Each structure stands twice: as structure tokens, then as C-alpha cells.
Amino acid sequence: MQYESLVQFRINHKSNIMISTLVRFISVFIFLIIAGSCKPTQREPNMESLEKYRSQLTKIRAEFGEYELPKATFFLFGMGNREKLLYRDGSLISVHDQKILYRWDVIEEIIIPNDYSVFLTMHDGKRIAIFENEQGVFLEFDGKKETINEGTHIVLDSFEGHPYSEVLKVLNHENLINIDNGLPLPNFFVYRKPWRRDAAMMAMCLEIAGNLDLIKDWVLELDEIYDFNNRSKAGPEYEVDNLGQTLYLISLFTDASHPLVPKILEEAKRWERTHEGKLYLHGRTDFSEMPVYQTKWMKYGLRALGLPDPYDIPNIDCQYSSLFWMDYKDFHKPVEGWRNDSYPYIGWARDHFYGLKQSPITAVDYPLTWEIGASQANYEGIRIVNDNYTNASCAAPHTWHTSEIFLYLINLNQPDEQENQ
């Protein structure tokens, strides 16, 4: 290469380097300007969703009634078999070890139960979102998302198209929040053992919402005929409705080969009686004789497993007969029932049976369900939520109540079976 050409090449090459460097500098400068002007996005409360939920609650309360719980503002995270977390008063608490995971200086909180979320504003203006979805529980601050509780996958149905879709979402939450390490509990604060009756009602809801597998291991590992949860001075109660409830639960996951099935069939003989030539079961449920209710549950469980059914529903008095609304409604002798809003699931079940609307839901956004003054509950366990609950012997939410409302509302939106025949 000639000298002149080489000089020209070097000049051109240096010029290209300078241009390239300038372009890179300008690009970096523009990027820094853009980056500096872009603030991290922060999850915002969906107030339209909250208003939709409240509108549906207003309609339900107008139709069914409302009930004032002891004052307490809180929300629970950890649906299904996830760690149970409690938000209250600016703190996020791990329930079982009672450790405060986070504490914030809050001037405003917005709880949106149907979005499973809590939004907080601090005194310094910063905001925090705590929310739960199908994957886990998360905390978002300044656009950054932190996983608090991943746990097991759950299904969160939107119940789209149902007139009470947002209420159903919260009722579904109240059932899922009370599944603790695979145990379907009435209320995980005050009960440590499942009740077969409550579990059977919960299972109907879990199946509809796609979460039945969460209790599969518990059901398949059942090895006792009774739950023995109710106890008197004489000892544990042999509640005969447990027989049919346990058969029904087993049917959801397996067949009559489950080792508990033959034991239940043999145990049923202990409670057999005849009335007007009809064979039925007669024992105690909730400290009283409830033969129609018990026989209906037994027939329901036998049919679910495809087993022979030797029983007929007797035409005798039974206050719990109308609590079994799932089938056999023609086999019922009306008796004077009782209503007690401390045990609201009884009223909701009866309303479901008769097609009435006389039983209440809570007067607050959350929780929607409760039980008060149950003889076997340990109400000290719920003091972590609020002293008012413990002092009033109140457990909220409560899954039998939750399930009765959920199933009533689901069926309320179904076409009449006779119209489809």
C-alpha cells in the first residue's frame, strides 16, 4: 500500500472509531435519561373490583339478612396447604409460630377480599401490596415482587357469569384458608382436627372449584370410623352421621376397596332399627338423636360408592332432616326447627332445603362466615386475630357455614332439574 493511501486509511479508520464512540455515548446518554424518567410500576388496588364485590354483598344482605360480628379488621393469606399468614394492624404475621414477619407504619389500608389482596400506604408515602394467587403469596414494594409463601398450587375460579361471582370467590377463599397441612378444618385457629360433617360439605365445594386434591391424602389415610370430636362427660360421642359422611369422602378418591369401608358397613349394624317394617339407622348427632339425617347420609355414601343399600328413610321426627338438602327431599317429616345465629350453617342448610332466604351473612367485607360458642372449640387460638373474637367465643371464617352459603348460591343459579326433564 502506498504511503498516501495508508495515511488516508488511518485517517478514515480513526474517524470511524470516533463516530462509533460518539454514537455509543449518545445511546448510553439517551438510555440514562429514559431510565431516570421511568419509575418502577407498583400494583394498585382495583377499586372497581371491590365495588363489584360490595354491590353483590349488598344484594345478598337485602335478600338473606346480615349479622354483626365482634369488631375485627384482618385478612388471611395461605390458601390450601400453604403457611398461614395473618395481616392486621400494619403487620404480617406467621400464624402458627406467631412471628411478625413484617411491620409497617401504615396510614391507610385497603383490603380487597375478592382479589385476595391488601394495599398499604406508609407515612412516608410509599406503598406496599400483599396478594395471593394460584402460585403463592407475594409482597410488592416499589415495583419489586418478593415471594413470601409459594407452597402448593391452587385453583382460583373466577365464577364468571354467576350473579354472585365475587362473593363465591371469597367463600372459596374461606374454605381454602382452613385447609392446614392437608386437614380440612372448620376454623384452623380454634380446631386442630377435622370434623367429618364439615369436611364432607367442604369437599362438595372443593370439587366444584377444582381443589379436591388438597384433601386427598387425608381422606385416603382415614383409619377411624368416627371423628370423636364431640365429647360429653360420659366420653366421646359416636356420631352416626359420620358413617355416611366418611363413605362419601372416600368415594371422591377411590372405591369400596378402601380398608375403612368394610369396617363402616359392619359398624352400621350396631345402629340399625326398624320402623313400620323399614330398616334405618338411629343414633346420636350433636348430642341428640337424629335418625333421618343419619340414614340419609348413609344412603348417600353407599350410593356414592356403588354399594347395596338396605336402608329406608323412616317417617319419624328428626330436627336435622332438613339439613340434608342434597337428596331424598321427599322423605321428610316437617318438625319445628330452631334457628340460632351462633350456628348459622343450620339456618342456611334449612333454607337450602326449603328454598327460603332467612339466614344471614356477615355485615363486613371479610370474613363472611362464623360460629359462636361451640362447645369443642378453643377460642384462645383466635386471640392472635383479635381479643374481641376470643372474648365473644367467635371463630371466623367457619367452613361449614362457608360451604352451606357457597352451595346454596351455586345451586341458586342452576336451572330447575324438572325443567330439563
Side-chain angles (χ1 to χ4, degrees), residues 19-33:
I19 293 172
S20 177
T21 301
L22 180 62
V23 168
R24 286 200 301 270
F25 175 80
I26 293 172
S27 297
V28 170
F29 181 73
I30 292 173
F31 172 78
L32 290 174
I33 292 175

Side-chain angles (χ1 to χ4, degrees), residues 171-338:
L171 292 169
N172 186 41
H173 160 88
E174 291 190 3
N175 265 335
L176 291 174
I177 205 70
N178 282 301
I179 298 174
D180 194 8
N181 291 320
L183 303 180
L185 301 171
N187 174 280
F188 75 90
F189 290 102
V190 305
Y191 293 101
R192 296 314 308 153
K193 285 179 59 183
W195 293 56
R196 301 291 168 87
R197 178 176 50 222
D198 301 53
M201 302 308 297
M202 286 178 70
M204 295 179 190
C205 304
L206 294 173
E207 186 173 26
I208 291 170
N211 290 295
L212 196 55
D213 279 354
L214 294 173
I215 63 169
K216 180 178 181 179
D217 290 346
W218 171 74
V219 171
L220 293 180
E221 292 169 6
L222 288 173
D223 58 2
E224 291 186 347
I225 296 171
Y226 303 98
D227 58 37
F228 291 124
N229 281 318
N230 268 329
R231 306 179 71 86
S232 65
K233 291 181 180 179
E237 289 277 310
Y238 290 77
E239 298 191 287
V240 178
D241 55 313
N242 284 179
L243 277 63
Q245 291 151 5
T246 305
L247 291 178
Y248 165 70
L249 286 165
I250 289 171
S251 77
L252 296 171
F253 302 104
T254 185
D255 53 28
S257 65
H258 189 285
L260 199 51
V261 172
K263 295 179 182 179
I264 291 174
L265 300 181
E266 185 62 29
E267 176 68 9
K269 297 176 182 178
R270 173 182 174 186
W271 307 103
E272 289 178 354
R273 292 189 188 177
T274 57
H275 176 76
E276 298 178 346
K278 295 181 177 181
L279 186 68
Y280 69 99
L281 301 183
H282 194 125
R284 285 162 64 84
T285 293
D286 282 344
F287 306 105
S288 298
E289 294 180 351
M290 303 291 183
V292 176
Y293 182 72
Q294 294 156 357
T295 304
K296 285 182 177 182
W297 262 117
M298 189 64 180
K299 291 174 69 66
Y300 198 71
L302 290 170
R303 188 176 68 187
L305 282 170
L307 293 171
D309 179 5
Y311 303 108
D312 289 302
I313 299 169
N315 185 32
I316 57 179
D317 292 349
C318 175
Q319 283 197 340
Y320 271 19
S321 174
S322 57
L323 268 61
F324 194 98
W325 50 262
M326 290 75 79
D327 206 340
Y328 318 117
K329 293 179 71 172
D330 293 337
F331 300 90
H332 172 64
K333 181 180 178 181
V335 296
E336 183 177 351
W338 54 272

Side-chain angles (χ1 to χ4, degrees), residues 23-200:
V23 168
R24 286 200 301 270
F25 175 80
I26 293 172
S27 297
V28 170
F29 181 73
I30 292 173
F31 172 78
L32 290 174
I33 292 175
I34 294 173
S37 64
C38 292
K39 296 181 180 179
T41 59
Q42 176 70 31
R43 181 180 295 262
E44 298 288 344
N46 187 340
M47 301 308 293
E48 288 186 5
S49 178
L50 181 59
E51 288 307 311
K52 182 179 180 181
Y53 172 56
R54 286 175 172 169
S55 175
Q56 292 181 8
L57 281 178
T58 298
K59 184 177 178 182
I60 287 181
R61 288 169 184 145
E63 289 186 276
F64 293 86
E66 64 182 8
Y67 184 83
E68 290 284 350
L69 289 183
K71 188 176 181 180
T73 301
F74 67 100
F75 192 73
L76 297 170
F77 295 97
M79 291 183 275
N81 293 314
R82 298 170 180 168
E83 180 188 359
K84 305 305 172 191
L85 304 172
L86 165 68
Y87 169 79
R88 64 166 174 79
D89 302 326
S91 295
L92 188 65
I93 305 167
S94 174
V95 173
H96 289 316
D97 59 18
Q98 300 197 9
K99 289 184 178 179
I100 297 176
L101 304 179
Y102 299 89
R103 179 179 284 152
W104 300 283
D105 186 13
V106 176
I107 59 170
E108 182 187 44
E109 62 182 22
I110 300 173
I111 298 175
I112 307 182
N114 55 316
D115 286 349
Y116 324 114
S117 57
V118 175
F119 296 87
L120 308 175
T121 302
M122 313 297 114
H123 274 87
D124 60 5
K126 294 182 179 178
R127 290 173 295 167
I128 288 175
I130 313 164
F131 59 95
E132 184 164 11
N133 58 29
E134 293 186 334
Q135 284 71 48
V137 182
F138 303 92
L139 186 149
E140 188 173 283
F141 173 72
D142 199 24
K144 298 177 182 179
K145 188 167 77 171
E146 175 184 342
T147 301
I148 301 176
N149 186 347
E150 203 156 13
T152 55
H153 180 81
I154 57 174
V155 177
L156 294 175
D157 196 325
S158 68
F159 304 102
E160 185 176 357
H162 195 285
Y164 294 121
S165 58
E166 306 311 297
V167 176
L168 289 172
K169 286 162 66 174
V170 178
L171 292 169
N172 186 41
H173 160 88
E174 291 190 3
N175 265 335
L176 291 174
I177 205 70
N178 282 301
I179 298 174
D180 194 8
N181 291 320
L183 303 180
L185 301 171
N187 174 280
F188 75 90
F189 290 102
V190 305
Y191 293 101
R192 296 314 308 153
K193 285 179 59 183
W195 293 56
R196 301 291 168 87
R197 178 176 50 222
D198 301 53

